[in-house]
């Protein structure tokens, strides 16, 4: 009887150690993937695209904060919440379009200069936010 208890304890310990090793491997591979991604991003991404990425991150965080505020406090002036949230979504979409036009590896946009793409971005943002202000009423 004692032998079977010791044997089962060894079996349980072996299974636990295998599970822990598997988790260590997956954690290490995830960390390695993230570090490889950040190193490649820092090395290969032009500075203009990094600035646009910071803007896109800011817009996403603003939308998340607005949504959390809506969940915690409520949506009493619903038009205000809706216009603010739609503003963040629209700004994100316009920012992604700008990033796609400015990215030198995207050739599907024709022969658009970065200055023209930025001017289009500004014009579309002004027009879009005039509509948002009109929606707030």
């Amino acid at each position: 009887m004692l032998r079977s208890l010791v044997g089962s304890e060894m079996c349980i310990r072996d299974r636990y150690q295998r599970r822990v090793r598997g988790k260590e491997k997956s954690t290490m591979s995830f960390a390695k993937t993230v570090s490889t991604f950040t190193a490649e991003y820092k090395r290969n991404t032009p500075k203009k695209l990094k600035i646009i990425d910071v803007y896109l991150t800011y817009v996403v965080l603003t939308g998340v904060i607005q949504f959390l505020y809506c969940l915690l406090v409520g949506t009493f002036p619903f038009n205000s919440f809706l216009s603010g949230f739609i503003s963040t979504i629209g700004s994100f979409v316009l920012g992604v379009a700008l990033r796609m036009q400015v990215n030198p590896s995207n050739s599907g946009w024709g022969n658009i200069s970065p200055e023209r793409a930025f001017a289009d971005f500004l014009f579309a943002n002004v027009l879009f936010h005039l509509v948002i202000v009109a929606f707030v009423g």
Side-chain angles (χ1 to χ4, degrees):
M1 173 128 178
L2 185 59
R3 243 183 196 182
S4 66
L5 286 175
V6 170
S8 66
E9 183 180 321
M10 294 288 280
C11 191
I12 291 171
R13 188 178 316 142
D14 287 343
R15 276 191 248 154
Y16 174 74
Q17 287 176 350
R18 277 189 230 131
R19 234 185 270 150
V20 168
R21 284 187 206 125
K23 287 182 181 178
E24 287 175 357
K25 287 180 184 177
S26 67
T27 304
M28 288 174 53
S29 68
F30 178 73
K32 186 177 179 182
T33 303
V34 169
S35 67
T36 303
F37 172 76
T38 54
E40 290 291 322
Y41 178 80
K42 287 178 182 178
R43 186 177 53 215
N44 295 333
T45 307
K47 190 173 182 178
K48 288 180 184 180
L49 294 181
K50 288 179 185 176
I51 292 171
I52 295 172
D53 290 341
V54 169
Y55 169 73
L56 293 174
T57 304
Y58 164 74
V59 170
V60 167
L61 290 177
T62 302
V64 168
I65 290 170
Q66 285 180 352
F67 188 74
L68 290 176
Y69 181 82
C70 172
L71 289 178
L72 295 174
V73 177
T75 61
F76 168 61
F78 190 66
N79 280 358
S80 298
F81 163 71
L82 200 57
S83 62
F85 197 69
I86 290 172
S87 172
T88 58
I89 292 171
S91 296
F92 183 78
V93 169
L94 291 173
V96 168
L98 174 66
R99 189 184 194 286
M100 290 173 63
Q101 289 178 356
V102 172
N103 192 353
S105 64
N106 287 347
S107 61
W109 288 93
N111 196 9
I112 297 177
S113 68
E115 292 81 12
R116 166 73 191 269
F118 188 67
D120 290 346
F121 170 75
L122 288 179
F123 177 73
N125 252 324
V126 168
L127 188 65
F128 177 67
H129 283 90
L130 284 173
V131 172
I132 292 294
V133 168
F135 180 72
V136 171

